Structure formats: structure tokens, C-alpha cells
Amino acid sequence: MSRRSGPMLELMNATPFFEDSGLPPVALNLRLMPGECMVVETRDMPRATMFADLCSGLIPLNNGTVKVMGLDWTSLDVKRGNALRGRIGRITRRASWTNLFGAHVELMLRELHHTTRSIDDITGETLRMCERFGLPGVPVDTPERLSYTDLARANCVRAFMGKPDLLLLEDPLEYGTADLSLPFLECLTEARDRGAAALWFVRDASVWQAYREAVNAHWRLADDGLITVRMH
């Protein structure tokens, strides 16, 4: 488990500018502790993407604060902010592959940029993760040439690579193949066991029911902000 005792993610009256984000301009409050998983339901997945951007310090605030691992995004310079984002694993529905390189480069890019691990160590982990999520090996084609399901698998690999401390996961299971569920939930559980925290954004409530007892809180992201549905 992580030695951190404070919140991994904390929103305190965080009020985004609607013009910059499309999020409701209301105060958002949330506290996610090490090892916790919170499900956030929304019918609007682009809104979930913007909420994840807010948590990642990419959305300006009209009021309030957003902190990750106790660090206020507004207090960090560009270098420190990017380093902190290097500790966040994301799965996003937004187009997030550059197609300038083979998928293998983009899978490893965060670790190559933000860590001092050896290339052999990083490539070894990449191969293990790709095989775990059902890929026949590390994909070398550009992402645009991968099938939808293989890209969904690659998105999972990229999110869990490098043992991130915070996971912002726009549900990969809704349109994925059935065999994606087991490695996704296993990796999510392993991450939480070592102290990572997770926000899991879903549109279809049925996709997370098998994991329901392990979820710490269930919220809904709607026009009037974050609404508590259930807390453990």
C-alpha cells in the first residue's frame, strides 16, 4: 500500500468556467483516498472527459481548488505539473493517439519521459501488459491502423503502465470485448492494493455491477454537478 495518508484527489468548491469546459459552473467537491475506487455515472462521456481534464489540472477554475496527492495544480510550474500528470493513468474516449509513431512508442512514451527506468524494463512491462490485455504482442502499427477492440486494449495498457498513483478511467468495457473485463478489473484491483485511487466513469450502469461490492462510492455527474448516489 501507498504510505500516503491524505487524499489522492481532492476537489474543494472547484468551479470551472463553462465556456472553457462545458462543465456546469457549479462548485464540485470530491475526496478520493488511497486505495479507493469511485464510480461516476454520466450520460455524456465528453463531459466525463472534461471532468478528468479538470482533475488533471487542465481546466481553469473560477473558484476553488483541485489537488492531486496534496499538490494544488495552480501552485505548480509547467515542469512540475507535467511530472505530476506523469503519475496519472487515463483511459479516454477522446482521440488521444498522435499516429506519428507506432503504437508501441506511444504506449511507452509516458514512462520514457517521466521516469529513469531502463528501456529494457519499460519494454518488458509493455509486452507483459499487452499480452495480459489480449494483444498478441506489442502493436507496432500506427494506432489508426488498429481495430477498435485492439485500440481499447492498448488504451488499458497505456493507463496501467508504470503503476500510476491516480487512475481516471472512461469506461473501456461498454463497447469492448467480453474478455477485456477480467484483466481490467484485475489491474484496477492490483493498483488499489498498492495504494492507487481510481475514478471510473461509466455510461452503462450494468458494466460495473460485478465490481459493485469493491466500489467505495457511486456518484452521478449531471447538469447540476456531482450528486451522491451511494457511499460505503
Side-chain angles (χ1 to χ4, degrees):
M1 290 288 289
S2 168
R3 294 181 181 179
R4 179 167 179 78
S5 58
M8 297 298 290
L9 172 66
E10 189 170 26
L11 279 62
M12 294 175 288
N13 295 317
T15 310
F17 289 99
F18 176 80
E19 295 82 1
D20 293 316
S21 67
L23 292 169
V26 298
L28 301 168
N29 291 281
L30 178 152
R31 177 177 289 184
L32 190 63
M33 302 299 290
E36 289 188 339
C37 176
M38 182 182 295
V39 166
V40 179
E41 287 189 10
T42 178
R43 295 182 179 179
D44 185 351
M45 290 309 287
R47 179 178 286 174
T49 300
M50 299 309 295
F51 189 88
D53 281 350
L54 178 80
C55 296
S56 302
L58 298 172
I59 299 294
L61 299 178
N62 186 38
N63 190 40
T65 59
V66 177
K67 294 182 179 181
V68 169
M69 299 173 67
L71 299 172
D72 184 341
W73 287 112
T74 60
S75 70
L76 303 178
D77 58 27
V78 172
K79 184 176 181 179
R80 294 180 68 206
N82 286 336
L84 186 57
R85 290 186 191 97
R87 301 308 309 147
I88 299 174
R90 285 189 66 172
I91 296 175
T92 178
R93 298 286 185 88
R94 178 174 56 202
S96 59
W97 301 85
T98 67
N99 292 307
L100 295 174
F101 312 101
H104 62 297
V105 176
E106 299 203 36
L107 286 174
M108 296 187 288
L109 200 57
R110 184 181 70 202
E111 286 300 288
L112 290 169
H113 181 68
H114 291 293
T115 73
T116 57
R117 298 168 63 193
S118 70
I119 292 178
D120 286 346
D121 187 21
I122 295 171
T123 55
E125 183 190 8
T126 307
L127 176 59
R128 291 191 298 273
M129 292 293 290
C130 284
E131 292 176 340
R132 186 170 189 178
F133 277 99
L135 290 163
V138 180
V140 296
D141 285 336
T142 56
E144 64 188 353
R145 299 186 62 184
L146 298 181
S147 68
Y148 181 87
T149 53
D150 281 353
L151 198 57
R153 299 178 199 278
N155 273 321
C156 291
V157 171
R158 185 171 61 174
F160 288 104
M161 277 282 296
K163 299 181 179 179
D165 296 300
L166 175 63
L167 293 160
L168 303 175
L169 309 169
E170 295 167 45
D171 182 52
L173 303 181
E174 183 179 351
Y175 299 114
T177 56
D179 61 346
L180 190 61
S181 178
L182 180 60
F184 173 78
L185 294 178
E186 285 180 344
C187 285
L188 175 57
T189 300
E190 290 169 11
R192 296 176 62 194
D193 285 346
R194 67 170 184 268
L199 279 187
W200 180 3
F201 299 95
V202 302
R203 181 165 55 185
D204 181 353
S206 68
V207 301
W208 63 279
Q209 294 308 305
Y211 202 66
R212 183 181 180 87
E213 294 305 313
V215 169
N216 299 96
H218 174 197
W219 293 60
R220 183 168 293 119
L221 180 60
D223 290 338
D224 47 355
L226 274 173
I227 302 169
T228 305
V229 178
R230 178 178 69 91
M231 300 287 286
H232 263 190

